[in-house]
């Protein structure tokens, strides 16, 4: 039936107005079958293997353009073929029964000194009468133009980053590391003065006053004993002098251990409620900052604090390790101690704070060291690493008995930090206090007050405890 309105019939026989809908094309689906194991054979690698196909007879080569096969330049005829991009070329040597024919291809790329395109190959060429020059998808050619790209590591003569598979020159690497540590402002170099010493921490005016009083007491006691034969004053002065001497000796020998106990017993603060400028102690897990460190002898990486010390034992005829070295004692010969900025995650609140120990900050470390090497006459030649370590630092090995200790705080270790809280633009930091921190008198242990300067850093021997991975 005719009508000016378009209509169509459904499959059920009913006529409806409007045009019939065109069936939608189905989106093609792609399926990938599992590739069988090829065992490294290029022929069984499918489409991927075609990129690395090697011609069997040396006469066929896959190209992205017209294929031109010609021998080397030994005749009078030459043809010119131009391609865009880098194409594979096959040059065949002339046979003894045919004329010498040469075909020259000009590809886009660098030219040699004769103005001809340079031929590149990615693999050994076949010998005999066939020479095959190919360039497949693979490593970037070593000769690259200068692009201004900043890369990590030195460059070789071809301009590409140098890759070395094998041991490096230990002398050059350690000198480069020491040079970078010395000249890096973010790394703080600590010396022996930062360690706790009762003689250095005790106030000098009080010490000289005590010495003067005892001197006057001995003079007065001796005068009274000679004049009236009464030894009471002299006995009292001697007893007091003995008590003071015992207290000073006790603090000199066990003062450091008492300070470590004081730090351990000091209550931890919560960074969430700490006020700006408050002196706190924070315990938590540390993570490296911008400049991670490496231990000197054991080469432990990702550290925030490292210390390596060399000691020598002085006998009756031995040399001194330092000007203050006495006989029959261990003396410090060399010391390498470095620390840089790091982060600490508080156990109490979970907050993360930046500890400012780099850039020359004052730090008082209390980090346990472990004996790494113990050298005497019996095992003198059994540690070539130790001899190499001495040679790298121009240290002589003529001492009879030597001992090397090393300690470090590795990333993931649990430490305790004491310092002043500073908040700056939502950045939580722990900075060194302006005034030294006094521990006060510990009467139960007969320990006199001690002054601690800078940030106090406490950690046990990291080599004997488990490190939390971060």
């Amino acid at each position: 039936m005719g009508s000016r309105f378009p209509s169509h019939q459904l499959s059920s026989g009913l006529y409806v107005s409007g045009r019939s809908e065109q069936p939608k094309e189905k989106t093609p689906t792609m399926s990938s079958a599992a590739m069988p194991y090829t065992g490294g054979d290029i022929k069984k690698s499918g489409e991927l293997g075609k990129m690395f196909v090697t011609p069997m007879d040396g006469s066929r080569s896959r190209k992205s353009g017209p294929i031109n096969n010609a021998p080397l330049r030994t005749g009078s005829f030459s043809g010119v073929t131009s391609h865009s991009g880098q194409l594979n070329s096959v040059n065949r040597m002339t046979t003894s029964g045919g004329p010498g024919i040469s075909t020259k291809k000009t590809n886009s790329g660098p030219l040699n000194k004769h103005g001809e395109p340079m031929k590149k190959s990615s693999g050994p060429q076949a010998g005999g009468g066939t020479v095959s020059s190919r360039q497949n998808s693979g490593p970037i050619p070593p000769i690259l133009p200068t692009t201004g790209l900043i890369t990590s590591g030195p460059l070789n003569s071809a301009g590409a980053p140098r890759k070395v598979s094998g041991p490096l020159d230990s002398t050059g690497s350690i000198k480069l590391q020491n040079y970078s540590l010395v000249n890096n402002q973010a790394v703080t170099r600590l010396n022996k003065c930062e360690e706790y010493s009762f003689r250095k921490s005790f106030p000098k005016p009080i010490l000289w006053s005590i010495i003067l009083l005892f001197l006057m007491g001995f003079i007065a006691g001796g005068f009274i004993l000679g004049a009236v034969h009464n030894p009471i004053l002299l006995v009292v002065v001697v007893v007091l002098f003995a008590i003071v001497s015992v207290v000073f000796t006790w603090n000199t020998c066990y003062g450091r251990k008492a300070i470590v106990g004081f730090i351990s017993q000091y209550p931890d603060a919560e960074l969430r409620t700490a006020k700006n400028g408050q002196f706190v102690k924070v315990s938590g897990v540390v993570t490296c900052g911008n400049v991670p460190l490496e231990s000197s002898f054991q080469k432990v990486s990702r550290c925030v604090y490292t210390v390596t010390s060399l000691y020598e034992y002085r006998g009756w005829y031995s040399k001194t390790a330092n000007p203050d070295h006495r006989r029959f004692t261990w003396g410090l010969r060399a010391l390498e101690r470095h620390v840089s900025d790091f982060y600490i995650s508080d156990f109490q609140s979970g907050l993360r704070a930046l500890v400012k120990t780099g850039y020359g900050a004052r730090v008082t470390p209390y980090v346990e060291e472990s004996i790494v090497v113990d050298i005497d006459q019996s095992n003198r030649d059994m540690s070539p690493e130790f001899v190499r370590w001495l040679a790298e630092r121009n240290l002589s090995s003529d001492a009879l008995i030597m001992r090397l200790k090393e300690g470090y705080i590795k990333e993931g270790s649990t430490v305790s930090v004491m310092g002043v809280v500073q908040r700056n633009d939502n950045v939580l930091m722990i900075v060194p206090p302006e005034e030294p921190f006094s521990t006060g008198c510990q009467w139960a242990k007969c320990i006199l007050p001690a002054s601690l300067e800078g940030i106090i850093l406490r950690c046990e021997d990291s080599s004997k405890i488990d490190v939390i991975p971060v």
Side-chain angles (χ1 to χ4, degrees), residues 284-288 302 304 409-415 465-470:
V285 179
V286 298
T287 53
C288 292
R302 304 292 298 176
V304 301
I409 299 178
K410 190 177 180 180
E411 188 176 48
S413 302
T414 301
V415 302
I465 59 177
D466 295 333
V467 177
I468 301 175
V470 293

Side-chain angles (χ1 to χ4, degrees), residues 56-124:
M56 300 299 296
D57 55 354
S59 61
R60 290 181 297 176
S61 172
R62 299 183 63 88
K63 297 184 179 181
S64 59
I67 302 176
N68 293 306
N69 301 330
L72 294 175
R73 294 188 302 272
T74 58
S76 59
F77 175 77
S78 63
V80 179
T81 304
S82 176
H83 304 285
S84 64
Q86 296 180 352
L87 304 180
N88 300 329
S89 61
V90 178
N91 301 327
R92 293 182 295 178
M93 300 290 291
T94 59
T95 61
S96 60
I101 302 175
S102 172
T103 301
K104 182 173 69 174
K105 298 180 182 180
T106 304
N107 300 329
S108 59
L111 303 177
N112 57 13
K113 61 181 180 179
H114 300 291
E116 299 175 355
M118 298 178 64
K119 298 180 180 180
K120 303 175 182 179
S121 62
S122 60

Side-chain angles (χ1 to χ4, degrees), residues 121-186:
S121 62
S122 60
Q125 295 181 349
T130 303
V131 178
S132 176
S133 175
R134 297 175 50 84
Q135 182 176 355
N136 298 326
S137 60
I140 300 176
I143 302 177
L144 299 176
T146 303
T147 60
L149 180 64
I150 301 176
T151 59
S152 61
L155 301 179
N156 55 16
S157 59
R162 182 177 62 184
K163 296 181 180 180
V164 180
S165 59
L168 298 175
D169 185 8
S170 59
T171 304
S173 61
I174 193 63
K175 288 182 179 179
L176 181 61
Q177 179 186 2
N178 292 338
Y179 179 80
S180 60
L181 289 176
V182 170
N183 293 273
N184 195 343
Q185 298 181 356

